């Protein structure tokens, strides 16, 4: 199951970013996952929870956004969503797709750090004073 190696890599990258910033917790991690990347979202979520145990990400929510696979025909220039399983013949002219434009992505799109309670309380006090 390569979802575990993906989850471990995500946790490692987020921890590397958290250390220099002095972050003590992570609330949420969002990933963009291409529909052609071969990732099973439920399996990734399960593995992510296991990979987070004992790290600064423990208890963090994982959200995924599916990026549709798209292709461009070199013959006529048409662009279409290829779907799953991928349909790689141009729906406009019938030629084989020459270029996949999207759908293979796998990237961290957002990380939300946890705000320490003492900072949250002081931020609330300041905004209350400002009104």
């Amino acid at each position: 199951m390569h979802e575990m190696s993906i989850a471990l890599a995500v946790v490692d990258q987020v921890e590397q970013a958290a250390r220099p910033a002095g972050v003590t917790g992570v609330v949420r991690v969002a990933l963009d996952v291409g529909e052609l990347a071969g990732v099973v979202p439920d399996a990734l979520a399960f593995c992510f929870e296991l990979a987070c145990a004992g790290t600064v990400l423990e208890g963090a929510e994982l959200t995924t956004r599916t990026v549709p696979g798209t292709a461009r025909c070199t013959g006529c220039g048409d662009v279409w969503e290829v779907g799953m399983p991928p349909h790689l013949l141009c729906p406009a002219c019938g030629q084989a797709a020459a270029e996949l434009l999207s759908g293979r992505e796998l990237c961290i799109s957002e990380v939300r750090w946890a705000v320490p309670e003492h900072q949250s309380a002081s931020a609330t006090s300041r905004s209350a004073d400002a009104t």
Side-chain angles (χ1 to χ4, degrees):
M1 172 186 318
H2 73 285
E3 283 82 358
M4 181 54 90
S5 62
I6 292 167
L8 289 168
V10 168
V11 168
D12 183 53
Q13 288 183 15
V14 172
E15 280 195 304
Q16 286 183 31
R19 275 188 215 111
V23 172
T24 59
V26 175
V27 175
R28 184 167 75 92
V29 176
L31 300 178
D32 288 345
V33 180
E35 73 176 334
L36 305 175
V39 175
V40 178
D42 289 342
L44 180 58
F46 176 77
C47 293
F48 180 78
E49 186 176 338
L50 294 175
C52 289
T55 72
V56 72
L57 287 91
E58 189 162 3
E61 173 191 13
L62 176 68
T63 60
T64 57
R65 180 181 73 94
T66 302
V67 178
T70 59
R72 179 181 11 244
C73 177
T74 55
C76 72
D78 191 41
V79 174
W80 70 97
E81 289 191 13
V82 297
M84 268 311 275
H87 179 74
L88 300 176
L89 294 178
C90 176
C93 73
Q95 287 188 5
E99 183 181 12
L100 280 175
L101 302 176
S102 66
R104 295 175 290 177
E105 298 81 355
L106 181 57
C107 65
I108 300 169
S109 59
E110 181 183 9
V111 174
R112 292 228 175 138
W113 306 129
V115 178
E117 288 183 28
H118 70 278
Q119 284 183 355
S120 178
S122 65
T124 304
S125 299
R126 278 181 274 164
S127 48
D129 292 340
T131 56

